Amino acid sequence: MDLPTQLLLGAFTLLMILGLATAAQRLLGVRFGRLRTFLAALVAFGLAQPLLEPILSSIGPVDREHPPAAPALGILLLIVMSVVLIPMVILVIAEALAPPGSVPGPLELIRSVRGRVSRSRRYSQITRIAIRHGLGPYLRGRGERLEDRSGKVRLARSLREALDDGGVTFVKLGQVLSTRRDLLPAEFVEELGRLQDQVAPAPWEQIEPVLKAELGGPVEEVFAEFGRTPLATASIGQVHTARLHTGESVVVKVRRPGIRSMVAKDLDIVRRLAATLESRTRWGRSLGLRDLAEGFATAIREELDFRVEAANMAAVAASNGGGVTYPAPISAMCTERVLVMGRLSGRPVTTATPEQGPGLARDLLACLLRQILVEGVFHADPHPGNLMLLEDGTLGLLDFGSVGRLDGSVRSALQRFLLAMNRQDPLGVTDALLEVVPRPEDIDEAALERALGQFMARHLAPGMDSVQLFTDLFKIVSAYGLSIPPEVAAVFRALATLEGTLVRLSPGFDLIGEARAFAGRHLAERITPETIKESVTQELAALLPMLRRLPRRVERIASAAEHGRFTMNVRLLADDRDRGYVTGLLHQVLLTVLGATAGVMAVILLGTAGGPPALGNTSLFQLIGYNLLVIAAILVLRVLAVIFRRPRASDDHQS
């Protein structure tokens, strides 16, 4: 066979396979992936001859020169339908055993293998870091129990150094743990707190190319002066001092080179670990670890983009800071990896004297509560590393990579929650809390009300300690399975972090008294004759159109009822989605009935002896029965394909 003939035969074979794939998919009425459909048609093309050979041999000898026209057409139809039936069976079986998306495609498989190798390398690196710092036995659960303070300090230092070497994600984890005094001993909290401002800086040789690429020119041309030694270092970036050509002193925050890929690997590890724990442990499901990991990943990715931080800084700076100062961004010089902002002169807030502590704590609490309850834009990570004691003795708030936003309804519910807490009203606290979070259908409100009442008796009574106030409140929310929206979760996280910061600023700080004083001042500002008059005017303006139409509608209803013409018109299936669902359901029922009917008729005809001869040893009844049997199989396969596909929400991720 010459080459043109081979090419022509190959093209014809390919067209037959594509036609077979198209016919199988159209008959099933479900959209499959192109690769899966083509492979099913290719396998069917190869299996057609051995599978059809027994059927054709059972027909018996046929006069090939003068075959009957009608029976020959029936045999041809039977062969065509049988060939199409083979890929349909393969696709339905594949749909049941390996749904689209469960088996990765070639490119996805290659990326998955590369990802596994990369994760394994990262796992190995993290393990080596832990072993190098003496944490290997604790990873295996065999570490010794340390009772003396010196041993705890030594272990805490090893943990801090290991987290520092682990990279950005683990440094952020250490920063979060440094605010959780309810989980860790004081030695660990103190040591992990050093991660806030004692991270090893990146060398200037790595920082200079980033500045040049982001600012569009050499550092010497963009700035009049630039300090190459970092003023401060953090897990994501480091800060340098500089002076613009206008003479303004600024600080330049530069993202650490190469951390985005490392963070992506670490976040992938965190997400997979959270998914495993949520699927295998009860406490993981109750906490919703998968959603928490996604929220943590989203927050980290936002912190990596300094443009987000610049926008957050501008939004918070637009609000009333009270006794707290915010730096202003230089918007024209802010990029994804570089953030330029005005400089605040001061020193770390941890150097404040005991006499300054209470006043600073009071200003910080009032500032954050005002941001949350009044302004609706708040700093979501107020740990000591993000605070500065300015030269005039006031506070400066830094690092706006993590900022929360609340709409008016959530702020109003939080205000009612705070006021009910101030009155120690368990019912009001419960109602306000269930306005903040989605209300579950099976929640025991009476038990929740009792738990909140015990919480207030434990923390809000005169002389009681307010330490762990927000932490215990979050435990109650989690214990009753309340699903916390992300924006509200940011509030709880900010308040828990604030609680640890206030303790460091002023041990014994009267958190409850100051919060009550803020609530009183807030009510005094908000509830005035002018504000009440404005609220009533707005409500009446909204109700006026309805009130204007109300008498006319009431008169129509009364007249119709008086004369016996009062009726109600309800349109069933008015929504397109309802009509589509019912139509699809009737379609499946009809196909099932037709398939079952065709199958029963086929069995009856195949079991009927005699009948007009058609071809060879096959009677006309048997020929019709074979065709009906294949038709019944096609109809049943169409129904099964839809049934196996229906549990999935969409078909966007098909292989």
Side-chain angles (χ1 to χ4, degrees):
M1 186 180 299
D2 56 358
L3 182 59
T5 305
Q6 292 180 356
L7 293 177
L8 183 62
L9 183 60
F12 180 72
T13 303
L14 180 61
L15 288 176
M16 290 185 62
I17 294 174
L18 293 177
L20 188 59
T22 303
Q25 183 163 275
R26 291 295 298 271
L27 287 174
L28 287 175
V30 175
R31 185 176 180 82
F32 296 92
R34 294 185 180 90
L35 179 61
R36 177 176 295 212
T37 308
F38 179 79
L39 291 177
L42 182 62
V43 173
F45 187 81
L47 295 177
Q49 182 176 356
L51 290 179
L52 293 179
E53 189 67 30
I55 300 177
L56 296 177
S57 61
S58 65
I59 296 176
V62 179
D63 186 0
R64 299 182 181 274
E65 296 183 358
H66 304 286
L73 184 60
I75 290 294
L76 180 61
L77 180 62
L78 176 63
I79 293 173
V80 172
M81 289 193 301
S82 299
V83 173
V84 176
L85 183 64
I86 299 173
M88 293 177 63
V89 173
I90 296 174
L91 288 173
V92 171
I93 293 176
E95 182 75 16
L97 299 181
S102 62
V103 179
L107 296 179
E108 186 179 353
L109 182 61
I110 294 174
R111 288 194 295 265
S112 176
V113 172
R114 292 176 59 185
R116 287 178 181 273
V117 173
S118 179
R119 283 194 303 273
S120 299
R121 192 181 300 117
R122 181 59 173 159
Y123 275 127
S124 177
Q125 181 182 3
I126 293 171
T127 304
R128 289 197 303 271
I129 291 174
I131 294 175
R132 185 169 67 248
H133 290 282
L135 301 177
Y138 295 93
L139 293 179
R140 297 188 294 268
R142 300 175 182 176
E144 58 178 332
R145 296 180 61 87
L146 300 176
E147 302 296 339
D148 60 314
R149 173 176 170 78
S150 61
K152 291 181 179 179
V153 170
R154 187 167 56 253
L155 179 59
R157 185 181 302 113
S158 298
L159 177 60
R160 192 258 302 170
E161 293 173 352
L163 291 175
D164 194 2
D165 291 346
V168 177
T169 308
F170 297 96
V171 170
K172 298 300 293 183
L173 177 62
Q175 292 177 353
V176 173
L177 291 176
S178 69
T179 64
R180 299 304 303 269
R181 295 177 177 269
D182 57 316
L183 299 179
L184 297 177
E187 295 83 2
F188 287 82
V189 172
E190 181 179 356
E191 188 66 35
L192 293 179
R194 299 176 61 188
L195 286 171
Q196 315 287 3
D197 52 11
Q198 296 190 15
V199 182
W204 173 250
E205 292 75 15
Q206 298 179 8
I207 295 297
E208 185 178 15
V210 176
L211 289 169
K212 184 177 180 180
E214 294 295 310
L215 298 178
V219 176
E220 295 78 9
E221 295 181 3
V222 178
F223 298 98
E225 295 180 6
F226 196 94
R228 298 191 175 189
T229 302
L231 177 65
T233 58
S235 56
I236 290 178
Q238 59 190 49
V239 176
H240 295 257
T241 60
R243 185 170 60 85
L244 301 178
H245 291 290
T246 59
E248 181 182 358
S249 296
V250 296
V251 293
V252 182
K253 184 176 180 181
V254 187
R255 197 177 75 187
R256 290 174 173 267
I259 65 169
R260 178 175 287 278
S261 59
M262 181 66 69
V263 168
K265 296 175 185 177
D266 291 345
L267 290 180
D268 186 50
I269 293 173
V270 170
R271 281 197 296 264
R272 291 174 182 272
L273 180 60
T276 301
L277 292 175
E278 184 171 336
S279 62
R280 296 183 180 180
T281 62
R282 181 180 302 175
W283 63 269
R285 287 188 295 272
S286 64
L287 291 178
L289 289 182
R290 192 192 304 267
D291 294 336
L292 291 178
E294 288 297 333
F296 178 71
T298 301
I300 291 293
R301 283 193 293 267
E302 287 187 355
E303 291 191 45
L304 289 175
D305 190 347
F306 287 168
R307 292 171 299 184
V308 176
E309 182 174 352
N312 293 339
M313 190 183 305
V316 175
S319 62
N320 184 3
V324 180
T325 304
Y326 314 125
I330 310 298
S331 301
M333 304 181 70
C334 295
T335 67
E336 181 181 355
R337 295 188 293 172
V338 174
L339 175 63
V340 182
M341 53 188 161
R343 183 178 180 181
L344 300 181
S345 300
R347 61 184 190 274
V349 73
T350 52
T351 61
T353 63
E355 293 76 16
Q356 292 176 304
L360 296 176
R362 188 179 304 109
D363 290 341
L364 179 60
L365 176 63
C367 173
L368 197 66
L369 289 179
R370 175 174 289 278
Q371 289 179 0
I372 294 174
L373 299 175
V374 181
E375 307 293 345
V377 181
F378 62 95
H379 195 294
D381 195 17
H383 61 72
N386 288 336
L387 295 170
M388 177 182 289
L389 182 60
L390 303 181
E391 295 177 349
D392 59 358
T394 60
L395 282 176
L397 192 55
L398 310 174
D399 194 355
F400 292 83
S402 180
V403 168
R405 288 177 170 82
L406 301 174
D407 57 35
S409 61
V410 175
R411 294 202 305 272
S412 298
L414 288 174
Q415 292 171 9
R416 290 191 292 273
F417 180 83
L418 179 61
L419 292 176
M421 290 269 288
N422 187 34
R423 298 192 306 267
Q424 297 191 34
D425 177 13
L427 180 59
V429 170
T430 304
D431 292 340
L433 180 61
L434 293 179
E435 290 183 33
V436 174
V437 301
R439 181 191 296 266
E441 296 181 358
D442 56 348
I443 187 173
D444 188 347
E445 293 192 30
L448 176 61
E449 182 180 341
R450 289 193 299 270
L452 291 173
Q454 296 173 0
F455 162 79
M456 289 185 289
R458 183 168 58 252
H459 289 285
L460 304 184
M464 301 301 293
D465 190 3
S466 62
V467 177
Q468 300 185 9
L469 172 69
F470 299 114
T471 303
D472 289 349
L473 178 60
F474 185 77
K475 288 180 179 179
I476 294 176
V477 171
S478 300
Y480 282 85
L482 299 178
S483 176
I484 304 178
E487 63 274 12
V488 179
V491 173
F492 278 99
R493 183 169 69 91
L495 292 177
T497 304
L498 176 67
E499 185 179 48
T501 303
L502 294 177
V503 170
R504 292 192 63 178
L505 282 175
S506 177
F509 179 71
D510 186 9
L511 178 62
I512 302 303
E514 293 298 331
R516 286 176 171 173
F518 173 84
R521 292 194 303 271
H522 174 66
L523 285 179
E525 295 175 0
R526 303 288 289 183
I527 303 179
T528 62
E530 290 77 11
T531 57
I532 294 177
K533 180 181 179 181
E534 182 180 357
S535 299
V536 172
T537 303
Q538 292 176 354
E539 293 295 333
L540 288 177
L543 289 174
L544 186 59
M546 184 185 68
L547 293 175
R548 191 175 292 168
R549 293 190 299 266
L550 185 60
R552 191 183 311 113
R553 291 182 176 179
V554 171
E555 193 275 333
R556 289 179 181 175
I557 294 174
S559 177
E562 181 181 358
H563 295 85
R565 298 192 306 269
F566 184 75
T567 59
M568 296 182 64
N569 185 16
V570 179
R571 294 181 59 190
L572 296 176
L573 305 178
D575 192 275
D576 291 338
R577 293 172 296 180
D578 296 337
R579 291 196 297 270
Y581 175 77
V582 174
T583 302
L585 188 62
L586 291 176
H587 187 199
Q588 299 306 311
V589 172
L590 180 60
L591 288 178
T592 304
V593 172
L594 290 177
T597 303
V600 171
M601 292 176 62
V603 172
I604 293 175
L605 289 174
L606 290 174
T608 302
L615 287 176
N617 301 328
T618 304
S619 67
L620 182 61
F621 292 161
Q622 292 174 329
L623 182 59
I624 297 175
Y626 284 131
N627 281 275
L628 286 177
L629 191 61
V630 175
I631 292 174
I634 292 175
L635 294 176
V636 171
L637 287 174
R638 184 182 177 97
V639 175
L640 291 177
V642 176
I643 291 175
F644 290 140
R645 177 62 60 91
R646 181 166 293 175
R648 286 176 292 281
S650 65
D651 301 324
D652 295 334
H653 304 286
Q654 297 173 1
S655 61

